[in-house]
mmCIF file of all heavy atoms in Angstrom:
data_model
loop_
_atom_site.group_PDB
_atom_site.id
_atom_site.type_symbol
_atom_site.label_atom_id
_atom_site.label_comp_id
_atom_site.label_asym_id
_atom_site.label_seq_id
_atom_site.Cartn_x
_atom_site.Cartn_y
_atom_site.Cartn_z
ATOM 1 N N ARG B 176 23.710 -3.732 23.545
ATOM 2 C CA ARG B 176 25.059 -3.513 24.071
ATOM 3 C C ARG B 176 25.425 -2.044 24.023
ATOM 4 O O ARG B 176 26.071 -1.514 24.918
ATOM 5 C CB ARG B 176 26.063 -4.354 23.276
ATOM 6 C CG ARG B 176 25.929 -5.840 23.568
ATOM 7 C CD ARG B 176 26.797 -6.686 22.628
ATOM 8 N NE ARG B 176 26.765 -8.084 23.009
ATOM 9 C CZ ARG B 176 25.733 -8.880 22.861
ATOM 10 N NH1 ARG B 176 24.617 -8.416 22.324
ATOM 11 N NH2 ARG B 176 25.787 -10.135 23.246
ATOM 12 N N ARG B 193 31.661 -6.143 22.527
ATOM 13 C CA ARG B 193 31.871 -7.454 23.150
ATOM 14 C C ARG B 193 32.336 -7.339 24.590
ATOM 15 O O ARG B 193 32.189 -8.266 25.394
ATOM 16 C CB ARG B 193 32.894 -8.248 22.339
ATOM 17 C CG ARG B 193 32.385 -8.805 21.057
ATOM 18 C CD ARG B 193 31.210 -9.750 21.267
ATOM 19 N NE ARG B 193 31.594 -11.141 21.105
ATOM 20 C CZ ARG B 193 31.783 -11.972 22.110
ATOM 21 N NH1 ARG B 193 31.608 -11.557 23.339
ATOM 22 N NH2 ARG B 193 32.130 -13.222 21.873
ATOM 23 N N ARG B 200 29.263 -11.311 32.131
ATOM 24 C CA ARG B 200 29.712 -12.585 32.720
ATOM 25 C C ARG B 200 30.226 -12.373 34.147
ATOM 26 O O ARG B 200 29.878 -13.100 35.069
ATOM 27 C CB ARG B 200 30.816 -13.191 31.868
ATOM 28 C CG ARG B 200 31.728 -14.131 32.633
ATOM 29 C CD ARG B 200 32.180 -15.305 31.849
ATOM 30 N NE ARG B 200 33.085 -16.141 32.608
ATOM 31 C CZ ARG B 200 32.697 -17.119 33.415
ATOM 32 N NH1 ARG B 200 31.411 -17.364 33.568
ATOM 33 N NH2 ARG B 200 33.582 -17.842 34.061
ATOM 34 N N ARG B 203 27.456 -11.909 36.428
ATOM 35 C CA ARG B 203 26.760 -13.162 36.728
ATOM 36 C C ARG B 203 27.532 -13.975 37.759
ATOM 37 O O ARG B 203 26.957 -14.527 38.694
ATOM 38 C CB ARG B 203 26.603 -13.992 35.444
ATOM 39 C CG ARG B 203 25.449 -13.537 34.566
ATOM 40 C CD ARG B 203 25.449 -14.256 33.241
ATOM 41 N NE ARG B 203 24.269 -13.916 32.433
ATOM 42 C CZ ARG B 203 24.227 -14.011 31.108
ATOM 43 N NH1 ARG B 203 25.296 -14.435 30.437
ATOM 44 N NH2 ARG B 203 23.134 -13.695 30.463
ATOM 45 N N THR B 217 20.120 -13.345 28.534
ATOM 46 C CA THR B 217 20.627 -12.966 27.226
ATOM 47 C C THR B 217 19.487 -12.997 26.225
ATOM 48 O O THR B 217 18.717 -13.943 26.191
ATOM 49 C CB THR B 217 21.698 -13.972 26.757
ATOM 50 O OG1 THR B 217 22.722 -14.023 27.742
ATOM 51 C CG2 THR B 217 22.283 -13.544 25.429
ATOM 52 N N ARG B 219 19.266 -13.142 22.472
ATOM 53 C CA ARG B 219 20.106 -13.343 21.287
ATOM 54 C C ARG B 219 19.790 -12.319 20.204
ATOM 55 O O ARG B 219 18.643 -12.145 19.824
ATOM 56 C CB ARG B 219 19.898 -14.760 20.759
ATOM 57 C CG ARG B 219 20.777 -15.087 19.594
ATOM 58 C CD ARG B 219 20.705 -16.551 19.271
ATOM 59 N NE ARG B 219 21.985 -17.185 19.447
ATOM 60 C CZ ARG B 219 22.878 -17.302 18.481
ATOM 61 N NH1 ARG B 219 22.627 -16.815 17.310
ATOM 62 N NH2 ARG B 219 24.005 -17.893 18.697
ATOM 63 N N GLY B 220 20.836 -11.674 19.745
ATOM 64 C CA GLY B 220 20.654 -10.678 18.696
ATOM 65 C C GLY B 220 20.114 -9.354 19.214
ATOM 66 O O GLY B 220 19.935 -8.412 18.457
ATOM 67 N N TYR B 223 20.894 -7.632 26.524
ATOM 68 C CA TYR B 223 20.663 -8.289 27.801
ATOM 69 C C TYR B 223 19.444 -7.692 28.488
ATOM 70 O O TYR B 223 19.000 -6.592 28.163
ATOM 71 C CB TYR B 223 21.894 -8.160 28.698
ATOM 72 C CG TYR B 223 23.099 -8.889 28.147
ATOM 73 C CD1 TYR B 223 24.041 -8.226 27.390
ATOM 74 C CD2 TYR B 223 23.254 -10.250 28.366
ATOM 75 C CE1 TYR B 223 25.140 -8.890 26.864
ATOM 76 C CE2 TYR B 223 24.345 -10.933 27.854
ATOM 77 C CZ TYR B 223 25.286 -10.245 27.100
ATOM 78 O OH TYR B 223 26.361 -10.916 26.590
ATOM 79 P P DT C 16 28.458 -14.896 8.895
ATOM 80 O OP1 DT C 16 28.384 -13.681 8.073
ATOM 81 O OP2 DT C 16 29.771 -15.469 9.274
ATOM 82 O "O5'" DT C 16 27.616 -14.659 10.227
ATOM 83 C "C5'" DT C 16 26.194 -14.655 10.151
ATOM 84 C "C4'" DT C 16 25.609 -14.547 11.551
ATOM 85 O "O4'" DT C 16 25.732 -15.825 12.236
ATOM 86 C "C3'" DT C 16 26.305 -13.522 12.447
ATOM 87 O "O3'" DT C 16 25.297 -12.796 13.142
ATOM 88 C "C2'" DT C 16 27.167 -14.358 13.375
ATOM 89 C "C1'" DT C 16 26.360 -15.643 13.491
ATOM 90 N N1 DT C 16 27.160 -16.873 13.732
ATOM 91 C C2 DT C 16 26.768 -17.724 14.731
ATOM 92 O O2 DT C 16 25.810 -17.507 15.453
ATOM 93 N N3 DT C 16 27.548 -18.856 14.859
ATOM 94 C C4 DT C 16 28.642 -19.193 14.098
ATOM 95 O O4 DT C 16 29.249 -20.242 14.311
ATOM 96 C C5 DT C 16 29.002 -18.259 13.068
ATOM 97 C C7 DT C 16 30.179 -18.534 12.193
ATOM 98 C C6 DT C 16 28.254 -17.154 12.935
ATOM 99 P P DC C 17 25.703 -11.590 14.116
ATOM 100 O OP1 DC C 17 24.652 -10.576 13.987
ATOM 101 O OP2 DC C 17 27.118 -11.242 13.908
ATOM 102 O "O5'" DC C 17 25.575 -12.271 15.547
ATOM 103 C "C5'" DC C 17 24.342 -12.883 15.887
ATOM 104 C "C4'" DC C 17 24.485 -13.578 17.218
ATOM 105 O "O4'" DC C 17 25.349 -14.729 17.066
ATOM 106 C "C3'" DC C 17 25.117 -12.705 18.306
ATOM 107 O "O3'" DC C 17 24.265 -12.704 19.441
ATOM 108 C "C2'" DC C 17 26.480 -13.350 18.576
ATOM 109 C "C1'" DC C 17 26.250 -14.790 18.150
ATOM 110 N N1 DC C 17 27.462 -15.503 17.660
ATOM 111 C C2 DC C 17 27.791 -16.763 18.200
ATOM 112 O O2 DC C 17 27.079 -17.238 19.090
ATOM 113 N N3 DC C 17 28.886 -17.408 17.726
ATOM 114 C C4 DC C 17 29.629 -16.864 16.769
ATOM 115 N N4 DC C 17 30.693 -17.556 16.344
ATOM 116 C C5 DC C 17 29.307 -15.593 16.204
ATOM 117 C C6 DC C 17 28.228 -14.947 16.676
ATOM 118 P P DT C 18 24.642 -11.859 20.708
ATOM 119 O OP1 DT C 18 23.383 -11.399 21.314
ATOM 120 O OP2 DT C 18 25.700 -10.904 20.346
ATOM 121 O "O5'" DT C 18 25.256 -12.973 21.644
ATOM 122 C "C5'" DT C 18 24.496 -14.124 21.956
ATOM 123 C "C4'" DT C 18 25.301 -15.079 22.803
ATOM 124 O "O4'" DT C 18 26.383 -15.632 22.030
ATOM 125 C "C3'" DT C 18 25.943 -14.461 24.047
ATOM 126 O "O3'" DT C 18 25.572 -15.232 25.185
ATOM 127 C "C2'" DT C 18 27.438 -14.513 23.784
ATOM 128 C "C1'" DT C 18 27.553 -15.677 22.809
ATOM 129 N N1 DT C 18 28.688 -15.606 21.853
ATOM 130 C C2 DT C 18 29.545 -16.684 21.773
ATOM 131 O O2 DT C 18 29.427 -17.689 22.449
ATOM 132 N N3 DT C 18 30.558 -16.540 20.850
ATOM 133 C C4 DT C 18 30.788 -15.453 20.027
ATOM 134 O O4 DT C 18 31.726 -15.451 19.239
ATOM 135 C C5 DT C 18 29.860 -14.362 20.173
ATOM 136 C C7 DT C 18 30.021 -13.135 19.341
ATOM 137 C C6 DT C 18 28.860 -14.489 21.068
ATOM 138 P P DG C 19 26.095 -14.890 26.621
ATOM 139 O OP1 DG C 19 24.977 -15.121 27.554
ATOM 140 O OP2 DG C 19 26.773 -13.586 26.597
ATOM 141 O "O5'" DG C 19 27.169 -16.035 26.864
ATOM 142 C "C5'" DG C 19 26.757 -17.392 26.780
ATOM 143 C "C4'" DG C 19 27.893 -18.310 27.182
ATOM 144 O "O4'" DG C 19 28.939 -18.245 26.189
ATOM 145 C "C3'" DG C 19 28.556 -17.973 28.506
ATOM 146 O "O3'" DG C 19 28.889 -19.202 29.163
ATOM 147 C "C2'" DG C 19 29.788 -17.181 28.113
ATOM 148 C "C1'" DG C 19 30.160 -17.819 26.783
ATOM 149 N N9 DG C 19 30.791 -16.933 25.806
ATOM 150 C C8 DG C 19 30.399 -15.666 25.463
ATOM 151 N N7 DG C 19 31.137 -15.130 24.519
ATOM 152 C C5 DG C 19 32.079 -16.105 24.236
ATOM 153 C C6 DG C 19 33.147 -16.110 23.298
ATOM 154 O O6 DG C 19 33.476 -15.214 22.510
ATOM 155 N N1 DG C 19 33.862 -17.308 23.333
ATOM 156 C C2 DG C 19 33.576 -18.369 24.158
ATOM 157 N N2 DG C 19 34.362 -19.417 24.047
ATOM 158 N N3 DG C 19 32.576 -18.377 25.033
ATOM 159 C C4 DG C 19 31.876 -17.224 25.013
ATOM 160 P P DT C 20 29.476 -19.181 30.609
ATOM 161 O OP1 DT C 20 29.079 -20.462 31.218
ATOM 162 O OP2 DT C 20 29.145 -17.919 31.273
ATOM 163 O "O5'" DT C 20 31.044 -19.221 30.343
ATOM 164 C "C5'" DT C 20 31.556 -20.164 29.412
ATOM 165 C "C4'" DT C 20 33.042 -19.982 29.244
ATOM 166 O "O4'" DT C 20 33.310 -19.018 28.195
ATOM 167 C "C3'" DT C 20 33.792 -19.464 30.484
ATOM 168 O "O3'" DT C 20 34.779 -20.401 30.823
ATOM 169 C "C2'" DT C 20 34.385 -18.128 30.040
ATOM 170 C "C1'" DT C 20 34.478 -18.312 28.541
ATOM 171 N N1 DT C 20 34.464 -17.064 27.747
ATOM 172 C C2 DT C 20 35.362 -16.958 26.710
ATOM 173 O O2 DT C 20 36.155 -17.839 26.415
ATOM 174 N N3 DT C 20 35.283 -15.775 26.004
ATOM 175 C C4 DT C 20 34.423 -14.718 26.252
ATOM 176 O O4 DT C 20 34.449 -13.710 25.556
ATOM 177 C C5 DT C 20 33.516 -14.904 27.358
ATOM 178 C C7 DT C 20 32.550 -13.834 27.697
ATOM 179 C C6 DT C 20 33.580 -16.055 28.042
ATOM 180 P P DG C 21 35.426 -20.350 32.318
ATOM 181 O OP1 DG C 21 35.146 -21.658 32.917
ATOM 182 O OP2 DG C 21 35.039 -19.118 33.015
ATOM 183 O "O5'" DG C 21 36.991 -20.271 32.004
ATOM 184 C "C5'" DG C 21 37.555 -21.164 31.052
ATOM 185 C "C4'" DG C 21 38.779 -20.532 30.432
ATOM 186 O "O4'" DG C 21 38.371 -19.416 29.610
ATOM 187 C "C3'" DG C 21 39.792 -19.976 31.450
ATOM 188 O "O3'" DG C 21 41.080 -20.511 31.167
ATOM 189 C "C2'" DG C 21 39.720 -18.463 31.261
ATOM 190 C "C1'" DG C 21 39.247 -18.324 29.826
ATOM 191 N N9 DG C 21 38.507 -17.105 29.569
ATOM 192 C C8 DG C 21 37.445 -16.608 30.296
ATOM 193 N N7 DG C 21 36.973 -15.481 29.818
ATOM 194 C C5 DG C 21 37.770 -15.220 28.716
ATOM 195 C C6 DG C 21 37.738 -14.137 27.797
ATOM 196 O O6 DG C 21 36.976 -13.169 27.781
ATOM 197 N N1 DG C 21 38.720 -14.263 26.821
ATOM 198 C C2 DG C 21 39.612 -15.296 26.724
ATOM 199 N N2 DG C 21 40.489 -15.250 25.722
ATOM 200 N N3 DG C 21 39.664 -16.324 27.584
ATOM 201 C C4 DG C 21 38.715 -16.212 28.538
ATOM 202 P P DA C 22 42.333 -20.076 32.022
ATOM 203 O OP1 DA C 22 43.158 -21.278 32.157
ATOM 204 O OP2 DA C 22 41.896 -19.316 33.211
ATOM 205 O "O5'" DA C 22 43.047 -19.068 31.012
ATOM 206 C "C5'" DA C 22 43.170 -19.432 29.636
ATOM 207 C "C4'" DA C 22 43.909 -18.328 28.899
ATOM 208 O "O4'" DA C 22 43.000 -17.238 28.642
ATOM 209 C "C3'" DA C 22 45.101 -17.741 29.660
ATOM 210 O "O3'" DA C 22 46.197 -17.588 28.768
ATOM 211 C "C2'" DA C 22 44.571 -16.418 30.182
ATOM 212 C "C1'" DA C 22 43.579 -16.020 29.086
ATOM 213 N N9 DA C 22 42.487 -15.151 29.514
ATOM 214 C C8 DA C 22 41.690 -15.305 30.617
ATOM 215 N N7 DA C 22 40.777 -14.378 30.748
ATOM 216 C C5 DA C 22 40.984 -13.546 29.660
ATOM 217 C C6 DA C 22 40.354 -12.372 29.223
ATOM 218 N N6 DA C 22 39.333 -11.802 29.869
ATOM 219 N N1 DA C 22 40.812 -11.786 28.098
ATOM 220 C C2 DA C 22 41.836 -12.358 27.454
ATOM 221 N N3 DA C 22 42.516 -13.472 27.759
ATOM 222 C C4 DA C 22 42.030 -14.019 28.886
ATOM 223 P P DC C 23 47.632 -17.142 29.300
ATOM 224 O OP1 DC C 23 48.616 -17.865 28.482
ATOM 225 O OP2 DC C 23 47.634 -17.242 30.777
ATOM 226 O "O5'" DC C 23 47.705 -15.601 28.920
ATOM 227 C "C5'" DC C 23 47.310 -15.191 27.619
ATOM 228 C "C4'" DC C 23 47.337 -13.680 27.536
ATOM 229 O "O4'" DC C 23 46.062 -13.137 27.972
ATOM 230 C "C3'" DC C 23 48.411 -13.035 28.432
ATOM 231 O "O3'" DC C 23 49.131 -12.085 27.680
ATOM 232 C "C2'" DC C 23 47.596 -12.383 29.539
ATOM 233 C "C1'" DC C 23 46.321 -12.020 28.785
ATOM 234 N N1 DC C 23 45.137 -11.798 29.654
ATOM 235 C C2 DC C 23 44.278 -10.730 29.374
ATOM 236 O O2 DC C 23 44.514 -10.009 28.403
ATOM 237 N N3 DC C 23 43.203 -10.516 30.183
ATOM 238 C C4 DC C 23 42.984 -11.331 31.223
ATOM 239 N N4 DC C 23 41.913 -11.084 31.979
ATOM 240 C C5 DC C 23 43.839 -12.416 31.518
ATOM 241 C C6 DC C 23 44.888 -12.617 30.722
#
Side-chain angles (χ1 to χ4, degrees):
Chain B
R176 289 172 174 71
R193 285 301 255 103
R200 156 143 178 87
R203 280 172 175 156
T217 303
R219 183 170 243 269
Y223 295 95

